[in-house]
Amino acid sequence: MQKLKRPKIGLALGSGGSRGLAHLGVIKVLEENNIPIDYIAGTSIGAMAGGFYSIGLNIKKIEEIALETDWHRMFSLIDPQLKQGLVGGEKVKTFIEKHINGKKFEDCKIPFVAVATDIKTGEVVILDKGKMAQAIRASISIPIVFKPVEIEGKMLADGGLSMPVPVEIVRKMGADIVVAVNLDNHYQDEKWKPGWYGIANNSLNILRHHLALSNVTSADVVIDIDVGKNYWYQFVNGQDKILTGEKAAKEILPMLQKIIKQKSKNKEFLS
């Protein structure tokens, strides 16, 4: 008698700065409804959330970390030279290292990939070997804010510059069903005011918005999350952002469950 095997499910966690707290809400809902996560690929804040979860940290523990961290203080280290970025990144790196606890990609309980961008060539860089803390730090290196990170001769910056929602990558990891979490679908800034930082920041937001829409076209399920107007560093009202992620995940849950059921019946999953 043939036994049904389930399809492998991959999670593509998108970039979005402080809005990325919504990723935690999505993961919570998947856990609560016994939806297994077999692969995770994350860009920028998605790499941080996905990396912490992939090493085995309990989602409630990650939520606790997110809500108790003084994010304002972490981003307060300013580089007066303003050459490569405003924030040197040492506090951020220390924060990541503290919670990653020396883990390497090879130690992950769930296969994980962090996405960065080669600032010299513009190419997507897949980070899946070696020290996770350094890779995550590279993935979140927002231009004009963080200094890029050098890894194997490449100067790496925010993965959102090249692939804000890494659907293609998690598919190549082996996922039969890809759930994409897009934080960049709702682009709008009615209160925008001209200025060098505002122009640069909005330019990056527009870039990510259009790239993200392109990235998610091949996903099986897309969770578009709108947490309202938030700058990348505004981690205030964190619980509200997490709840927004939960709400969005619950709305797509019936569709995801239906797809899992349909694919499970497919002959390619018979053994």
Side-chain angles (χ1 to χ4, degrees), residues 102-107 127-135:
K103 293 289 194 304
K104 296 182 178 180
F105 283 91
E106 295 77 8
D107 300 320
L127 300 170
D128 60 359
K129 295 180 178 63
K131 297 181 179 179
M132 289 180 62
Q134 184 182 37

Side-chain angles (χ1 to χ4, degrees), residues 14-84:
S15 62
S18 63
R19 289 170 290 165
L21 293 180
H23 288 318
L24 307 185
V26 171
I27 294 173
K28 283 177 67 176
V29 170
L30 295 181
E31 269 198 2
E32 290 168 359
N33 289 275
N34 299 313
I35 305 294
I37 301 172
D38 300 291
Y39 305 98
I40 300 176
T43 296
S44 198
I45 191 67
M48 185 180 290
F52 282 18
Y53 187 68
S54 70
I55 63 171
L57 280 179
N58 183 281
I59 190 61
K60 292 183 179 180
K61 176 61 178 177
I62 300 174
E63 181 178 4
E64 180 182 306
I65 292 169
L67 296 178
E68 293 182 355
T69 295
D70 186 343
W71 297 97
H72 178 75
R73 183 178 180 183
M74 187 185 304
F75 296 133
S76 66
L77 184 59
I78 304 299
D79 177 9
Q81 298 182 49
L82 305 181
K83 289 183 178 180
Q84 294 179 307

Side-chain angles (χ1 to χ4, degrees), residues 225-236:
I225 298 179
D226 183 7
V227 297
K229 177 60 182 174
N230 282 268
Y231 287 106
W232 66 268
Y233 52 83
Q234 292 178 320
F235 284 83
V236 294

Side-chain angles (χ1 to χ4, degrees), residues 179-191:
V179 178
V181 185
N182 184 9
L183 305 173
D184 285 308
N185 184 50
H186 304 277
Y187 173 75
Q188 189 174 2
D189 191 356
E190 296 175 350
K191 296 181 180 180

